[in-house]
């Protein structure tokens, strides 16, 4: 009990779990007095939360298979595999957790780890002809920092999710971003020139600061993996989840 935050993380992007599994998982967390459920809802391999303003995120981006826009991965096999949670299902799960004193912290991974978005709404990507791969060998999976319309889309997505998740904390990922596409993109290069930036990490910080503002507008505190500390300052209330090393946690 001396630890006010007692958390467990579950990634349903790589391996989708149905609602029955989620209810059982929450019951298990309650048994062990876990009070924060960090729910990793989007990544390269699937988008799992219904967004009514952008229906293709789940119509297309929640499924993997040989005839889907996302290829098979993580032993999903050669049949159509995947799924997503409707907004009504999420509301029910959030209430179920709250009744057991568990706060659900949603995570949508940005600006990298976003292949599920890139294959459904490719206009979010940089203007580049090159192939740029993540450490998991996913190509062109990074949001363009220099396209201002991307932040309007993210504002809409966050707005819908803020209505579903009462959690003050909202996790935006921020890890393992291949920044090479930014260095080729005319939109990102124009932004770097306008802001007097010299390093791509400063573009990452620009994106992160924009997300801080969007989340604050919706009454949320931003959290992210420890890469968000690179390239510039953060709001003092922003939460850093250190995964790379204890030293990164100390630096944050």
């Amino acid at each position: 009990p001396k630890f006010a935050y007692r958390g467990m993380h579950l990634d349903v992007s790589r391996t989708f779990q149905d609602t029955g599994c989620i209810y059982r998982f929450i019951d298990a967390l309650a048994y062990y007095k876990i009070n924060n459920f960090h729910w990793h809802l989007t990544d390269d391999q699937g988008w799992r939360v219904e967004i009514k303003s952008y229906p293709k995120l789940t119509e297309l981006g929640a499924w993997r298979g040989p005839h889907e826009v996302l290829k098979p991965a993580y032993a999903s096999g050669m049949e159509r595999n995947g799924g997503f949670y409707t907004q009504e299902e999420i509301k029910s799960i959030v209430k179920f957790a709250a009744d057991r004193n568990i706060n659900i912290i949603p995570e949508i991974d940005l600006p990298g780890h976003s292949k599920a978005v890139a294959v459904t709404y490719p206009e979010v990507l940089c203007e580049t002809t090159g192939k740029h791969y993540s450490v998991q060998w996913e190509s062109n999976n990074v949001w363009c920092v220099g396209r201002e319309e991307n932040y309007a889309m993210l504002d809409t997505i966050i707005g819908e999710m803020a209505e579903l998740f009462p959690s003050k904390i909202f996790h935006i990922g921020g890890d393992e971003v291949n920044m090479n596409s930014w260095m080729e993109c005319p939109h990102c290069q124009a932004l770097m020139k306008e802001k007097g930036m010299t390093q791509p990490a400063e573009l990452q910080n620009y994106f992160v600061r924009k997300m801080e503002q969007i989340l604050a507008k919706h009454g949320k505190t931003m959290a992210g993996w420890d890469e968000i500390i690179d390239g510039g300052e953060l709001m003092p209330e922003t939460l850093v989840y250190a995964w790379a090393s204890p030293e990164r946690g100390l630096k944050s």
Side-chain angles (χ1 to χ4, degrees), residues 1 9 20 34 46-47 60 63 93 101 107 129 136 141 148 158 166 170 173 192 207-208 229 239 243:
H9 173 279
I34 300 297
W47 184 285
L60 299 176
W63 305 94
I93 289 167
N101 301 305
E107 178 184 349
T129 57
Q136 289 86 18
N141 69 337
E148 194 62 31
I158 297 297
F170 197 112
M192 287 189 74
F207 183 93
V208 166
I229 68 177
L239 300 172
W243 73 275

Side-chain angles (χ1 to χ4, degrees), residues 20-61:
C21 177
I22 301 302
Y23 285 122
R24 293 191 298 274
F25 185 77
I26 290 169
D27 266 339
L29 298 186
Y31 180 85
Y32 288 106
K33 308 276 192 301
I34 300 297
N35 64 1
N36 283 287
F37 169 21
H38 178 166
W39 202 4
H40 188 121
L41 290 162
T42 78
D43 212 291
D44 291 317
Q45 288 76 32
W47 184 285
R48 306 301 183 196
V49 52
E50 178 189 26
I51 303 297
K52 295 183 185 296
S53 301
Y54 294 97
K56 287 195 294 184
L57 288 172
T58 47
E59 288 174 2
L60 299 176

Side-chain angles (χ1 to χ4, degrees), residues 19 46 89 93:
T19 55
E89 286 173 332
I93 289 167

